[in-house]
Amino acid sequence: VLGLYILALIIIILSFSISSLPFYLSYSSGNNLENSWGLKLFLILFFFLFIPLLFIISFVTHFALCDIVIYKNNILKSFKNGIKLFFNNWLISLESAFLIFLIELIIGTIFLLTTWGIASLLGFVKNIFILTNFSLGIISIPLLFFITSTIIFILLTAIFGLFQNTYWTLLFLKLN
């Protein structure tokens, strides 16, 4: 499993590096991007080539990981099975990723609103401490905010990670 993650990460980093190379070369050489139509076309082609490639690598990695864990296949066979499964079921994979993205967006919004609520509540408590001259309470408010926000973030991340892995595993079993 770790080997497949490392392989996918290497491919993603190489793809990202290659796709961002024209930007780097353009700005490091001092060329103005506005005057270079060829470079603009090249960047657009790279964008449309490598972004889908990164999505495909992500989907194939999910399916290959499930194949390794469930069927105990080696990395190469699992990767080949993941590629085959993705290309046979690419539409459901995209729909699933979009659904997971929407759920992650909702969870992120909930986290943002929760931390905003906690910050507001702790700001109110801080004002009470200021009025009562309780200096230890004033000092402990940022620490309390950090601890509660971190705990909520860890819990939401763990729950979502569990949901995401379960979702991809169930999808893999259904498609296989």
Side-chain angles (χ1 to χ4, degrees), residues 1-97:
V1 174
L2 179 63
L4 189 61
Y5 266 129
I6 291 172
L7 178 66
L9 189 62
I10 289 171
I11 292 171
I12 287 171
I13 288 172
L14 283 175
S15 298
F16 182 74
S17 299
I18 291 170
S19 66
S20 61
L21 189 61
F23 285 112
Y24 175 73
L25 292 176
S26 172
Y27 288 112
S28 66
S29 65
N31 289 340
N32 192 353
L33 198 62
E34 295 172 4
N35 297 330
S36 175
W37 287 98
L39 186 58
K40 284 181 187 178
L41 180 65
F42 186 67
L43 293 175
I44 291 170
L45 288 175
F46 261 72
F47 176 78
F48 285 112
L49 177 69
F50 282 106
I51 297 300
L53 179 67
L54 296 178
F55 280 112
I56 290 170
I57 291 168
S58 176
F59 294 134
V60 168
T61 302
H62 282 296
F63 292 141
L65 286 172
C66 291
D67 193 69
I68 287 173
V69 172
I70 295 170
Y71 298 120
K72 311 260 188 268
N73 290 328
N74 63 23
I75 291 176
L76 284 176
K77 185 174 182 184
S78 295
F79 202 73
K80 288 177 186 176
N81 291 344
I83 291 170
K84 183 177 156 191
L85 189 63
F86 170 74
F87 283 110
N88 289 339
N89 303 287
W90 64 271
L91 186 59
I92 190 75
S93 299
L94 289 175
E95 291 169 351
S96 298

Side-chain angles (χ1 to χ4, degrees), residues 122-140:
L122 291 177
F124 177 72
V125 171
K126 182 187 87 162
N127 288 338
I128 291 173
F129 287 156
I130 289 171
L131 289 174
T132 59
N133 255 351
F134 184 56
S135 60
L136 181 62
I138 296 170
I139 294 170
S140 65

Side-chain angles (χ1 to χ4, degrees), residues 93-105:
S93 299
L94 289 175
E95 291 169 351
S96 298
F98 183 71
L99 178 68
I100 288 175
F101 171 73
L102 287 178
I103 293 170
E104 188 172 5
L105 194 64

